[in-house]
Amino acid sequence: MAVFSLSDFADHEQVVFCSDDKSGLKAIIAVHNSNLGPALGGCRMWPYASEEEAVRDVLRLSRGMTYKSAMANLKLGGGKSVIIGNPRTEKTPALLAAFARALENLNGRYIAAEDSGTSVEDMKYMAQFTSHVSGIVDKPTDGGTRSGDPSPATAYGTFVGIKAAVKAKLGRDSLDGLRVAVQGVGHVGLDLAQQLKAAGAKLWITDIHRESLAEAAKVLGATVVAPDEIFGLDVDVFAPCALGAILNDQTIPQLKASIVAGASNNQLGESRHGLELMKRGILYAPDYVINAGGIIDVYHERIGFDRSALVGHVEGIYDNLMEVFERALKEARPTGEVADAIAEERFMR
Ligand code: NAD
């Protein structure tokens, strides 16, 4: 299989293939760019159908982390790792230890955090073998402490980002009475919906997990809709907080919302869908700009946690988005394209 010639290879500095016979570890660590600092990004465990699929995924994701961290003004580069395997049946202590030793061998060029298929507990376990893991430290909150899980910071950053989008598109500061459709009420979506409700927004929610949806509906007093109904609702904001590629040829024509702003990664099916949203007058908050709260949280854990510094940094997502929106309007370009240009100005030398 060719690697250098893959379009996703896109200037990667280093790609490391790791294996360990005893534990069955097969993993790939990709460092896209370290101009601004060590590469930090999640470690995903997934039963990829082929090695090629795993390579493509890690390359695409690590590049995205370079843009996300640069945009969030972090002294971090972009990287990601994938472990090939089913996290429910193949994740063993021996496998995690072998992966942690592979991280240690990279001497901090790449730092791992939790992602799909890995947890705070997994990162804590790996921390016995390497210092190059993050998302493991309990953090103070208003009323107590929370775990190293960065989801609350992601949800808060997304809430702040929705405020920026509402200001830019609708010219208002208050979210009172704002109509928002939230797709996915998992870790981030539910927390975001609670903040929106507290700010006076009117909510519609959906999820494919029935119990989560019923529980969320009770907590939020929101209107529940079926998963395929969430796109066409007569709302102000569509907030995707479930999965990627949900802005595509089938869903975009259904949208009545004038703003798309949510936490999901890789929301655009293809980059041309950003242009399609612009043509329809829909303001799109680029996913990696609005959902950077999590990486900001993990970064602050590494530089010595200070709650007010973290909150201030997450709230910077407002200004980052405003810069993107204003420049996109001035240059008549899709917001995603403009965000990429700004990120490149920050990390390219
Ligand atoms: P999660 O798994 O806790 O929640 C996702 C929810 O979406 C689940 O309840 C799931 O049942 C639901 N869902 C899946 N497919 C759906 C569909 N077709 N329709 C409706 N609901 C569906 O994940 P999370 O941590 O809340 O993350 C949500 C999104 O935000 C993901 O795309 C993730 O990559 C992104 N993100 C998360 C973080 C973080 O800190 N957790 C950071 C950055 C980006």
Side-chain angles (χ1 to χ4, degrees), residues 7 40 43 52 57 132 144-146 152 173 177 201 227 248 266 290 293 299 323 329 335 346:
S7 59
L40 199 155
C43 168
E52 182 167 351
D57 204 32
H132 308 309
T145 55
R146 65 173 168 90
D173 293 305
N248 54 46
N266 303 320
I290 191 170
Y299 172 74
E323 185 180 349
L329 192 65
T335 50
R346 293 182 187 177

Side-chain angles (χ1 to χ4, degrees), residues 44 68 149-151 154 183-189 206-209 212 227 241-244 263-265 291 294:
R44 180 167 288 191
K68 185 185 289 202
D149 176 6
S151 304
T154 305
Q183 182 192 38
V185 283
H187 288 97
V188 178
T206 194
D207 201 293
I208 50 166
H209 194 258
S212 308
C241 297
L243 66 172
S264 289
N265 278 314
N291 74 14

Side-chain angles (χ1 to χ4, degrees), residues 74-333:
L74 300 174
K75 291 188 183 111
L76 289 176
K80 200 89 180 182
S81 55
V82 297
I83 299 176
I84 301 173
N86 186 329
R88 289 179 197 271
T89 55
E90 292 174 273
K91 192 163 63 184
T92 60
L95 181 124
L96 292 174
F99 182 69
R101 285 192 292 272
L103 290 184
E104 190 58 20
N105 285 338
L106 282 174
N107 289 318
R109 273 185 61 67
Y110 167 69
I111 302 157
E114 47 275 75
D115 203 279
S116 309
T118 61
S119 64
V120 174
E121 281 63 43
D122 296 335
M123 293 302 133
K124 282 187 172 170
Y125 180 74
M126 294 202 296
Q128 295 175 59
F129 308 95
T130 178
S131 50
H132 308 309
V133 289
S134 203
I136 52 177
V137 177
D138 289 352
K139 294 169 188 133
T141 61
D142 265 345
T145 55
R146 65 173 168 90
S147 80
D149 176 6
S151 304
T154 305
Y156 182 53
T158 307
F159 174 71
V160 167
I162 288 176
K163 280 182 156 181
V166 166
K167 178 72 177 173
K169 184 73 188 172
L170 307 175
R172 47 186 277 204
D173 293 305
S174 166
L175 303 188
D176 196 26
L178 189 81
R179 297 162 305 157
V180 187
V182 180
Q183 182 192 38
V185 283
H187 288 97
V188 178
L190 179 58
D191 191 333
L192 169 67
Q194 283 172 310
Q195 294 178 54
L196 289 166
K197 180 188 168 167
K202 197 161 180 277
L203 299 172
W204 284 258
I205 57 172
T206 194
D207 201 293
I208 50 166
H209 194 258
R210 281 188 188 188
E211 284 99 85
S212 308
L213 187 58
E215 191 53 37
K218 223 189 304 168
V219 175
L220 298 164
T223 306
V224 169
V225 299
D228 57 355
E229 283 171 1
I230 198 77
F231 304 102
L233 297 174
D234 187 12
V235 291
D236 302 300
V237 180
F238 171 51
C241 297
L243 66 172
I246 36 77
L247 299 169
N248 54 46
D249 294 337
Q250 282 70 48
T251 60
I252 291 175
Q254 298 178 47
L255 293 176
K256 295 198 183 85
S258 59
I259 294 168
V260 175
S264 289
N265 278 314
N266 303 320
Q267 292 173 28
L268 299 175
E270 293 171 40
S271 54
R272 68 183 170 87
H273 292 118
L275 182 61
E276 193 52 42
L277 289 168
M278 187 182 97
K279 281 186 189 158
R280 290 169 186 262
I282 299 171
L283 183 66
Y284 168 59
D287 43 23
Y288 70 81
V289 187
I290 191 170
N291 74 14
I295 187 83
I296 295 172
D297 190 69
V298 169
Y299 172 74
H300 276 261
E301 179 176 315
R302 294 203 64 87
I303 60 169
F305 191 76
D306 171 333
R307 186 155 178 262
S308 62
L310 168 71
V311 170
H313 204 148
V314 173
E315 288 176 349
I317 288 174
Y318 188 100
D319 290 339
N320 276 334
L321 279 171
M322 280 302 189
E323 185 180 349
V324 171
F325 296 150
E326 281 161 17
R327 204 158 132 180
L329 192 65
K330 205 163 105 200
E331 297 173 9
R333 289 167 74 195

